[in-house]
Amino acid sequence: MFKTRLISGIVLVILALATIICSGPVLLVTLIGVSCIGMQELYRAAGVHEGKTNGLEIAGYLAVVIYYLTIAYLPVSYHLPAVIRGVLVMMCIFVFTYPKYQNKQIMTAFFGMVYVGVMLSYIYQTRMLPGGAFLVWLIFSASWGCDTCAYAVGKLLGKHKLAPVLSPKKSIEGAVGGVAGAALIGFLYAWGLQKAGVTAISDDAIWAFPLISGVGAVLSQLGDLAASGIKRDHNIKDYGRLIPGHGGIMDRFDSVIVTAPLIYYLCIILLEL
């Protein structure tokens, strides 16, 4: 099991490296695919998907595709209307097919669109910032870096439960270790970039990167626990089986989803982009 998880993790990192380095349309199309798969997993878990793909699901997927194309090719003033348009379409589906769908299915469909699609889009938006080729990795150092450090520290020192009902194996010691580890990774990353003479990163990175990674790590753990709560509410162990040893997209990206928007705005504020 550990070997499968390790190999899958390595492959996932390689794919992330390849698509993010390529940027542009490659990253855009990849994130659209990841978002739609993640939405399908959530829709299946929460009862929007019932045996076969339905019109409400398709509306969610199309809304996310349109949203990604909007943020990639249109000014920022068009971004929010793209989300609102998705809501209106779902409301129309609810009204004109009533009583085919329950109101909770409509709300879940919209939630999935924003929670998975819109929030994951901040990976792309961070990549497109000035210096984004380097800034985007803070999203992963704050989420996957935190996850790895929290696991290691929790195994060694964990005694006090962080969230006994939601995730019995997580400890307060592990959570603190995850935040500290992510902050350290952020510092070493900034230091390495400066030593390498990367001019796209400002001098403020040496203190801003650890702060961004540390704060992001706090939210990444909240995202992880929230996703666990959804699974427990619907009595499932994993969202899917796409990634051997890890589960589905939602199982691997649950922390990235909530971390990406925070990292984007922290970079803009702290690095004055």
Side-chain angles (χ1 to χ4, degrees):
M1 180 64 178
F2 175 77
K3 182 179 179 181
T4 301
R5 185 180 177 86
L6 178 62
I7 294 173
S8 296
I10 293 172
V11 171
L12 197 61
V13 169
I14 292 172
L15 290 175
L17 278 167
T19 54
I20 291 174
I21 289 172
C22 289
S23 186
V26 173
L27 179 58
L28 185 72
V29 171
T30 300
L31 285 173
I32 289 174
V34 169
S35 296
C36 288
I37 293 171
M39 288 169 62
Q40 184 189 52
E41 292 174 352
L42 182 63
Y43 287 169
R44 187 186 299 115
V48 176
H49 178 94
E50 296 179 317
K52 61 180 181 179
T53 303
N54 56 51
L56 185 56
E57 285 183 84
I58 293 173
Y61 303 144
L62 288 177
V64 164
V65 171
I66 292 170
Y67 176 76
Y68 270 97
L69 294 175
T70 300
I71 64 171
Y73 300 111
L74 293 177
V76 68
S77 59
Y78 288 85
H79 296 184
L80 182 59
V83 178
I84 295 173
R85 190 182 304 117
V87 180
L88 293 176
V89 170
M90 291 178 185
M91 288 176 63
C92 287
I93 291 173
F94 178 56
V95 170
F96 294 112
T97 63
Y98 190 85
K100 182 177 181 179
Y101 301 106
Q102 298 177 6
N103 62 78
K104 64 180 181 180
Q105 290 177 300
I106 303 296
M107 289 185 284
T108 301
F110 173 61
F111 173 74
M113 182 186 80
V114 176
Y115 174 53
V116 183
V118 173
M119 293 178 76
L120 269 181
S121 76
Y122 280 91
I123 296 176
Y124 178 83
Q125 296 186 65
T126 303
R127 177 63 178 85
M128 303 311 292
L129 288 172
F134 304 100
L135 298 176
V136 70
W137 300 108
L138 292 173
I139 295 173
F140 299 98
S141 71
S143 51
W144 293 350
C146 172
D147 185 44
T148 302
C149 293
Y151 177 80
V153 174
K155 276 289 187 181
L156 292 172
L157 305 173
K159 292 182 179 179
H160 302 88
K161 301 296 183 183
L162 177 66
V165 178
L166 272 180
S167 189
K169 294 183 179 180
K170 295 187 185 299
S171 66
I172 294 175
E173 292 84 0
V176 173
V179 173
L184 178 60
I185 292 171
F187 172 78
L188 293 174
Y189 181 45
W191 179 80
L193 290 176
Q194 290 189 348
K195 286 294 182 181
V198 177
T199 57
I201 300 299
S202 71
D203 293 336
D204 292 334
I206 200 68
W207 64 264
F209 277 25
L211 180 59
I212 291 170
S213 292
V215 174
V218 174
L219 200 60
S220 78
Q221 296 184 71
L222 177 63
D224 187 13
L225 290 170
S228 295
I230 295 173
K231 287 191 289 187
R232 286 191 176 276
D233 280 348
H234 295 90
N235 298 311
I236 58 173
K237 183 180 183 296
D238 294 317
Y239 283 101
R241 299 179 181 178
L242 181 65
I243 309 171
H246 293 268
I249 289 293
M250 288 294 296
D251 295 293
R252 186 63 274 178
F253 285 82
D254 51 6
S255 57
V256 175
I257 285 171
V258 296
T259 305
L262 177 69
I263 299 298
Y264 173 81
Y265 289 111
L266 284 178
C267 285
I268 290 176
I269 295 168
L270 297 179
L271 298 174
E272 300 180 352
L273 299 177

